[in-house]
Amino acid sequence: MNSKSVVLHPDYPDKAWIVVEQSRDEPMRMRYEPVTGTFRRSADYSLLHHRGFTGAYGWIGGTGAPPDPHFDVMVLTRENLQPGDVLLGHICGVFIRGDGDHKFVAMDNAWRHRAGCDCFDRLDAATQDELRRLYPRVDPGEGWFGAAYARDYLRNHEPLHD
């Protein structure tokens, strides 16, 4: 499966195919080139890398792709994923942003097994802290929500933000 052919997972929104855009060890932001289906390094710093996120970042396959509207997702994983990799993710939460560019949270199978849960609200304190460091300022109307809220949002909304 490549990033151009990814469709919604049959068990969406509980499960999703995640297209990796940003690996944990890349300090610069990667940009997806839809015409070629490739990724290029930009001159912008990666917020996730600089705030110490140890997972990967990308989008939920089948919801669109950059630069068009799509749903962004942070993946809890210990795998060293690279741009263009596609993996199965279990939706476990979301950070609702005031600008509509919401950030969903998913975990890979290994993380889910290790964590023994499938919801942001039940993740261990260290993992929750790592995620909360990404968006330390929470403005009115924003916040972190668990799996039920995230899945309901995905079920009932289209992506608005690119």
Side-chain angles (χ1 to χ4, degrees):
M1 187 180 315
N2 66 48
S3 56
K4 290 178 101 173
S5 65
V6 179
V7 297
L8 286 178
H9 189 281
D11 294 328
Y12 179 83
D14 298 328
K15 297 177 183 176
W17 295 119
I18 308 297
V19 179
V20 175
E21 182 175 12
Q22 188 75 38
S23 63
R24 78 168 126 250
D25 56 354
E26 175 56 60
M28 305 310 285
R29 180 112 189 258
M30 298 299 288
R31 301 272 185 215
Y32 178 64
E33 300 290 337
V35 173
T36 61
T38 60
F39 296 81
R40 69 171 172 79
R41 193 175 205 224
S42 77
D44 300 321
Y45 287 105
S46 165
L47 171 78
L48 280 79
H49 181 269
H50 289 282
R51 291 195 178 159
F53 183 61
T54 59
Y57 180 80
W59 69 86
I60 298 174
T63 67
D68 296 325
H70 60 280
F71 285 125
D72 292 328
V73 63
M74 298 171 287
V75 184
L76 300 173
T77 182
R78 294 289 182 234
E79 297 294 319
N80 187 19
L81 300 167
Q82 299 303 308
D85 287 349
V86 178
L87 75 148
L88 174 65
H90 303 268
I91 303 299
C92 65
V94 62
F95 181 70
I96 296 294
R97 292 177 37 154
D99 66 1
D101 190 14
H102 311 316
K103 305 300 181 189
F104 290 86
V105 181
M107 55 180 72
D108 69 7
N109 281 330
W111 190 286
R112 185 173 184 231
H113 178 72
R114 214 174 14 259
C117 67
D118 67 351
C119 186
F120 174 83
D121 299 334
R122 293 191 293 274
L123 290 171
D124 63 89
T127 303
Q128 284 192 24
D129 288 345
E130 180 178 337
L131 288 165
R132 290 180 198 278
R133 267 196 322 267
L134 298 173
Y135 299 100
R137 190 174 113 205
V138 179
D139 292 329
E142 297 184 333
W144 290 95
F145 298 90
Y149 187 97
R151 293 170 186 164
D152 185 61
Y153 189 94
L154 289 170
R155 193 176 290 113
N156 293 300
H157 295 85
E158 294 291 322
L160 301 173
H161 207 279
D162 51 351

